[in-house]
Amino acid sequence: MVDGATANLFLDAAGAKAIGASIAIALTGIASAIAEKDIGTAAIGAMAENEGLFGKGLILTVIPETIVIFGLVVALLINSA
Amino acid sequence: MSRPKQMTRAVIVGHKSILKETIDALHDTNLFHVEDFVEDESGFKISKPFKNAEEVSKKLVKIRSIANYLGIESKKPVVQKSDAVLRELDSKLNELDRTISAKTESISQLENELKDMDTQKKEVLPYLPIDLDFDYFRGYENIKVFAGILKSNLEASQISSITQAYELYFDPQSKAVVLFVANNDADKVYELLQGLGFKELRVPERGGVPSELLRSIEQKEADVTRRIESLKGEIESLKTKYADFILASDEVLSIESQKAELPLRIATSENAFIIDGWTPTESYDRLVSVVNNATNGRAYITNLEVREEEEENAPVEYNNSKAVAPMQQIMDLYARPKYFEIDPSSAIFITFPLIYGMILGDIGYALILGAMALAIKKAIKSDAVADMMNILIYCQIWTIFFGLIYGEFLGFPLASTHEEQGLLPFWHTVTLFQSIGGEAFTFPIHRAHMVMSMIILSVVVGLIHLNLGYVFGFTNVAREHGMKHALLEKGSWMIIELGVLIAAIGYVGISALMYVGAAVFVIGIVMLAMGEGIAGIVELPSLMGNALSYARIIAVGLSSIYIASTVNDISFSMIWADHSKIGFAAIAAIIVFILGHALNVALSIIAPGLHALRLQYVEFFGKFYEGGGRKFNPFGYIRKYTEE
């Protein structure tokens, strides 16, 4: 059994915040990466057919970046709370 | 905010005898977008190309293949008279063709010779250790010669056990063997050699000692290579001599071939022709006068009334001032606006560089990137590059502006904060007021110290940007479907936002306003449901996502600051580590400083640029933009290398 006091030993408030922030960043980062991977592969495939699609492909590839930005915002909110 | 140029649909009718003059005139004005004629039951047919079309396209193919072979690229134009080019074209083209084919032929001949010599060399090489004249290898009646390579060693005793009448040359290192024996013993000796893994090699047909043969072959090889080099040099000099001519004649021939092939796109009967197409309304009068002048008024031009469904199909030409024109590149990257849509070029002329500047906001990087853009613009004379560099320069102007507000230079704070000295000793940070979360709102704004305020500020900027999009959408829908639709489809979103805003004010201060806000919010939702149905309600949360997406303005900016200040920290701690003398650490520090900031400069184009662009395309355009207009592509040619 772990009582409150022992838990506090491992997780003081600042530590818990830091871990929360890091989870927010890490998971959203992975999520963006997975999404961008798929889009990027498709974009390269499209570019092989038609080089003019570079601009569109580039923009489509950064679209999932919003996910990690949300993570970053949440991390900043946790940190300043 | 502007709309694409207004278009007039024009039709030119005339007798076939003036077709050529009409086409010439249209081509010169470069104002008429020809609509391809599709054959139907009207009795009109598409015409045949002009007689010279085949000849022109043949020459064009020839000149392009020569240009391709010589690797001629477009460059700073030397303008020539087009009729002079045409006069010289045939003779020069033939001469060029002849010289090039003669030279390439001799080059390929010489290359074949080189290959031959290579095989000769390979034949001679195995015999090199034995160095016996090849004439001795042949011409005997009673002697058999075995020449080749063995797998294992051969001792003279092994042969002498078979016969005494032999002459053996053997190199134990390369295992090359030449063995002369009497014909009588040949079979036995051959068996022995086979047991040792004998492989017969061809004896070169020429006589002479291998080492001398090899030397002469190598000499010849060097000679031939030199000749090939000199021929290639001559072709290279042809390139510099004829580059202007090739570029100019390519242009002249392209123009001729465009003109010659236009009849394939228009309607003709036995004696008459009809050219159908679009021209910007402002240029219609000029088009009429030019065609009338060229044909002595014998062609009949009229403008047609455009029906609404035809209008959708009108070609689209931007209608922007010179300053805004570079933004059209950004628009085309996404999609050209439709004919009846608002062209947002002038809006993104402001918002794109503004958001870029807000993200980057560093005087040092702005100066570096601005100087780079100017230099590239000077060095590369290309319209597309110039447009891109102009956009980059617009961005840097805003970056300097925000750099002053943020007080940043290459990641260093310019003004002092409470704890540390800034780069400029006289500039102190002033606290303006206390804002959100106990953060002090200061000037200059230290982004890393007031993250929460900056997030809220970015989202507010985003909301303004989004609402600009709704206003555009409102005008688009109002023009197309009327005021009621516009209010329900786009106005409802603004009312919903208004409701949230009132409720938020109520939450912070006057609580009675909360109910008012909620009521306004509900009205907005009802309007939205009427305008867009259930799909609109489902999209409601995306409004929050769109607004929060603008938080990237501060997030991407912070990442740039952290990279810059990390580089600064590393290099400065290296310099201060041992400042008694300038040694290895100081030099390394300078290298770290330069490389680190070079990396960050490169990132400073990509990251803020892409994110600012994304905010335009996804968040902003999503609120109003359809796109997919047809490009206005006038019949004509913009001359670069020739003039009339």
Side-chain angles (χ1 to χ4, degrees), chain A residues 27-77:
Chain A
L27 290 186
T28 49
I30 291 168
S32 309
I34 291 171
E36 285 183 12
K37 178 202 78 179
D38 289 344
I39 299 173
T41 332
I44 300 237
M47 264 169 65
E49 294 278 325
N50 175 6
E51 281 183 28
L53 290 174
F54 174 73
K56 287 201 172 76
L58 194 66
I59 286 158
L60 287 175
T61 310
V62 295
I63 280 182
E65 202 121 317
T66 313
I67 307 172
V68 73
I69 303 261
F70 287 165
L72 193 64
V73 171
V74 168
L76 290 170
L77 281 171

Side-chain angles (χ1 to χ4, degrees), chain B residues 151-209:
Chain B
K151 280 218 176 97
S152 41
N153 268 326
L154 173 67
E155 300 293 333
S157 58
Q158 286 170 291
I159 299 182
S160 55
S161 66
I162 298 172
T163 172
Q164 288 300 317
Y166 73 95
E167 182 79 38
L168 172 68
Y169 298 89
F170 181 68
D171 178 55
Q173 234 167 6
S174 65
K175 303 212 167 42
V177 66
V178 178
L179 177 61
F180 300 84
V181 290
N183 269 347
N184 297 342
D185 305 319
D187 288 346
K188 277 187 200 155
V189 171
Y190 185 58
E191 257 171 49
L192 167 73
L193 288 177
Q194 265 189 327
L196 296 171
F198 175 67
K199 191 176 148 225
E200 190 164 4
L201 290 178
R202 230 173 81 86
V203 177
E205 274 156 26
R206 298 170 58 190
V209 186

Side-chain angles (χ1 to χ4, degrees), chain B residues 37 71 218:
Chain B
F37 173 69
E218 272 171 354

Side-chain angles (χ1 to χ4, degrees), chain B residues 221-233:
Chain B
E221 242 178 12
D223 192 43
V224 169
T225 319
R226 225 180 3 256
R227 270 162 64 197
I228 291 177
E229 288 303 313
S230 87
L231 278 172
K232 281 189 177 157

Side-chain angles (χ1 to χ4, degrees), chain B residues 134-143 145 180:
Chain B
F134 288 125
D135 276 337
Y136 295 144
F137 282 59
R138 52 193 152 233
Y140 304 109
E141 267 176 38
N142 298 319
I143 296 177
V145 184
F180 300 84

